[in-house]
Every structure is written in structure tokens, then in C-alpha cells.
Amino acid sequence: METSLNVDEIDSIKAHGLKDLASAGSDKELDDWRVKFLGRKGLLTIALRSLVSLEPSERQKIGSLANKTKEDLLNEFQSRKSQITAVQSSDIDSSHFDVTLPGTKLSLGKLHPTTQIIREICSIFEGMGFSVVEGPEIEWDEYNFQKLNIPKNHPARDMWNTFWVAEEDSSGNQMLLRTHTSPMQARIMETNAPPVRVIVPGKCYRYEATDATHESQFYQIEGLAVDKNITFANLKGTLYQFARQLFGENRRVRFRCDYFPFVEPGVDMSIDCFACQGKAVGCRICASTGWVEIMGAGMVHPAVLESAGYDPSVYTGFAFGLGPERIGMLKYGIEDIRMFYENDCRFLEMF
Ligand code: DAH
């Protein structure tokens, strides 16, 4: 009589299976093991098939033991498989690994020179109590011009060749790419009660042909200080201090009259040439003049204060605007402003 399936037989298949599995060491051996024990014609599968010949009560007991055994073997198989895969992938063949070869160089990025200059300038003014704020690059004609005492059709607009973004709307408003950071003077005063002391770095755009000293996109840093009793002496003292911190203790400064519609009086500020120490013979930095212009400035025009809601009989202030790329060109002897926008790594890595 055929011996029917029993507990011992299943336990022995399990013991046998676990023992073989422990000695399987390659993908091929693992696969053979799986076929032998769990495959379609595997030992356990055959045992399960013979359950039908058992008494119903036995069938249930032995059946659940057999299913549990199958599950256990399958789990063991999976964990053995991942063990073997892990060993294989960590198994570096030292005969192909030359530790003396130089490694791959990781190139580290750094801040763009313009960013470095802007940060340096801002931190000098922050040291004098100014806060840094930013504003929109797409502006209204109203802020870029009208609130700065430059009405529509005024000839002073010719100083700023403008990229217009859209046609004038039905109420006469028109958008543009800001031509300078000065519109932030109006925005700051409209939203803050005096006193104000701010510095505004940001991108500006002009509809201009590019050459070594002109770009159609460039940065500016605007400054504005408004309070009671601010005088031209405050302007001079602040900007003198700034120039000495950026260009060296011994710098001399010069202010000459200039015209900007939003200041009165307006000036341009120069420093004595740090390249030729003012000797001016054949100097390329100062074009042999002994002086280099670094910014425009002036006392805020009463009309600008008034249109922003400040009472010009109570408050006065000074404003200035400078180009960080120009400052960088002077400070580091860069001869072409276009280099700031070319993204040539040989240039960028120099700073
Ligand atoms: N916004 C002027 C420009 O783009 C620069 C300037 C000059 C700004 C004098 C000022 C200032 O605040 O007082 O040419």
C-alpha cells in the first residue's frame, strides 16, 4: 500500500530544503534549488498534490502544514537571494581597481562677480544703517518717469532709451522694462513713513547698442535717505565714507554739477584715479584725467517728495545711483562690460 503523506515527510522536505539552500552560492544554484523544491514538479508541489488521497480531517491538518512550509521555504529563498546579490555587488575586483589613479575633480561653483560686488556695496551701506530692498523689473511709466519728475513727452526722457512692454492702455498707463532703479524711490516713500534709508540693487534695461561700456541689461544700486534736516553735507559724508571703504582709505572725491530730473541740485561723483594716483599720464582707467566717475547723486527734488506724499517743507533727502558692473570694472581692471554676461568660465573663475 502506498504510504500516504504525513507530517514527518513534510518536515523532512523542509529540513532538506533549508540545508540545500544554505549551501547554494550562485544565481544558478539558487535557481536549481527553486525548481527542485518549489517548481511545478518540485518536491513540495508533488506532496501538495497528493493531499487529495487523504481523509478529510487529515487533509486539512497536513494541508495547512504543507502550505506553511511552502511559505517558509519561499521566504528563506528570498532572503538568501538578496544576501547573495549584496555580496556580489560589494565584491570589487581589486585587480581592476588602481588606487593610485587621480580622482575625478569636482568643480565647485561660486558667486558671479556682479553678485559679489553688489553684496560688498550693500554691506558697506548696511553698515551705515541702510536697509536693502528690491523692486519690480517690469515697471509702469508712472514710476519709472512721471513720479520722478519726468512728465510724458519731456525731453529728459531721451536720457533713457526705453524698452516698452506694451501699448499705452486707455487710462494712459504704459509698462516698460525699468531703465534705472530710481522708480523704487517713489515706491518706498509711498509705502513707508519717513525717515527712510534704503539701498536698492537690481537689474535694469536700456534699448541701446552694446559696446565695451554699454549693455542692454545691467545692474544698478539706488540709494535713498529722507528725514528732517538732511542736507547736502550728509550726502557728501555718506558717499565719501562709501568710496573710502570700497576703494581705499586715501581716496579723494570730487563732486561736479550734473543734471538728473529727480534731484536738485544734482551731481556726479568721481574718485581720484587709484590706478595712476591722479598722475594721469597715459592712464587707461581715468583716460588721463586723474578722476573716475562712480555715480550720480543729488538732493531729492521737492516734486518727487510731494508726488510720493511727503511734505517737502518738512522733509529733505538725498539719492544716488551707481552701476556695480562699472564699479567692478574699475576695481578689477575689467575692460569690457560684456564679459559679465558672456558666462565664460575662464572669466568667472578669476573672482
Ligand atoms: N537713475 C540715474 C540713471 O540711471 C542714476 C541716478 C542719478 C540715480 C542721480 C540717483 C541720482 O538717485 O540722484 O542714470
Side-chain angles (χ1 to χ4, degrees):
M1 189 183 111
E2 194 186 315
T3 35
S4 56
L5 185 62
N6 59 35
V7 174
D8 288 347
E9 196 176 333
I10 292 180
D11 281 349
S12 120
I13 294 176
K14 184 174 178 180
H16 185 178
L18 290 177
K19 184 165 156 277
D20 281 9
L21 189 60
S23 59
S26 67
D27 290 343
K28 163 99 182 54
E29 283 167 5
L30 271 181
D31 209 45
D32 291 347
W33 181 92
R34 192 185 52 75
V35 171
K36 180 172 169 192
F37 288 90
L38 303 173
R40 228 162 19 92
K41 292 180 182 160
L43 293 176
L44 202 62
T45 319
I46 291 168
L48 277 163
R49 255 187 228 132
S50 65
L51 281 173
V52 279
S53 60
L54 296 179
E55 289 289 312
S57 62
E58 276 290 283
R59 193 190 303 160
Q60 200 183 30
K61 195 176 105 200
I62 305 290
S64 78
L65 177 71
N67 275 323
K68 170 87 174 52
T69 302
K70 187 175 177 186
E71 207 175 291
D72 290 348
L73 286 178
L74 198 62
N75 285 339
E76 284 302 316
F77 171 77
Q78 295 297 4
S79 75
R80 181 74 186 138
K81 195 176 159 112
S82 38
Q83 235 176 15
I84 287 172
T85 318
V87 170
Q88 283 168 343
S89 59
S90 69
D91 190 12
I92 295 170
D93 181 353
S94 54
S95 63
H96 294 293
F97 186 69
D98 182 352
V99 290
T100 65
L101 280 176
T104 318
K105 190 168 174 243
L106 287 178
S107 49
L108 263 191
K110 52 178 156 174
L111 293 177
H112 190 279
T114 310
T115 310
Q116 294 184 34
I117 298 160
I118 290 175
R119 292 199 180 173
E120 187 178 357
I121 295 172
C122 287
S123 86
I124 293 175
F125 283 105
E126 281 177 301
M128 292 191 271
F130 286 74
S131 337
V132 178
V133 292
E134 288 182 308
E137 289 176 22
I138 299 181
E139 242 324 344
W140 292 105
D141 176 300
E142 189 188 1
Y143 283 92
N144 197 83
F145 293 124
Q146 297 164 51
K147 285 174 185 276
L148 295 174
N149 198 28
I150 313 167
K152 285 195 172 174
N153 304 316
H154 193 280
R157 289 195 175 208
D158 289 352
M159 292 167 74
W160 297 275
N161 295 325
T162 308
F163 281 115
W164 298 97
V165 171
E167 296 292 324
E168 207 174 82
D169 68 18
S170 53
S171 345
N173 300 319
Q174 194 170 5
M175 283 197 133
L176 45 76
L177 297 185
R178 68 176 173 192
T179 58
H180 48 181
T181 42
S182 306
M184 278 304 284
Q185 291 188 23
R187 288 190 176 275
I188 291 292
M189 288 192 282
E190 276 181 1
T191 48
N192 293 274
V196 295
R197 255 180 300 172
V198 292
I199 189 105
V200 189
K203 200 80 168 285
C204 307
Y205 304 85
R206 288 197 199 160
Y207 183 42
E208 264 172 24
T210 53
D211 62 26
T213 52
H214 296 87
E215 253 293 2
S216 53
Q217 51 171 340
F218 56 92
Y219 280 87
Q220 271 195 353
I221 301 183
E222 190 79 13
L224 175 71
V226 183
D227 200 350
K228 290 177 178 156
N229 302 320
I230 295 237
T231 69
F232 200 84
N234 298 121
L235 178 159
K236 286 175 90 173
T238 307
L239 298 183
Y240 182 45
Q241 179 60 26
F242 161 72
R244 284 167 44 120
Q245 279 196 45
L246 194 65
F247 289 101
E249 278 301 308
N250 302 323
R251 290 280 67 78
R252 291 183 298 141
V253 298
R254 180 186 73 177
F255 293 94
R256 288 190 308 184
C257 288
D258 201 349
Y259 170 67
F260 301 99
F262 32 89
V263 284
E264 179 60 33
V267 292
D268 80 51
M269 177 183 167
S270 302
I271 53 175
D272 63 326
C273 181
F274 46 85
C276 68
Q277 310 303 329
K279 293 190 190 72
V281 196
C283 178
R284 290 166 74 175
I285 299 281
C286 66
S288 301
T289 61
W291 296 94
V292 284
E293 277 178 31
I294 60 167
M295 67 172 101
M299 298 305 290
V300 182
H301 198 290
V304 174
L305 293 171
E306 195 149 16
S307 74
Y310 282 17
D311 182 349
S313 66
V314 180
Y315 294 100
T316 50
F318 66 84
F320 53 91
L322 56 87
E325 286 111 343
R326 176 167 162 71
I327 302 268
M329 288 169 78
L330 290 170
K331 200 169 168 188
Y332 302 112
I334 300 162
E335 290 184 350
D336 196 320
I337 193 171
R338 289 169 292 196
M339 299 190 108
F340 288 100
Y341 294 93
E342 273 170 2
N343 285 332
D344 183 331
C345 290
R346 289 167 301 179
F347 172 74
L348 300 176
E349 278 163 7
M350 289 166 69
F351 302 93

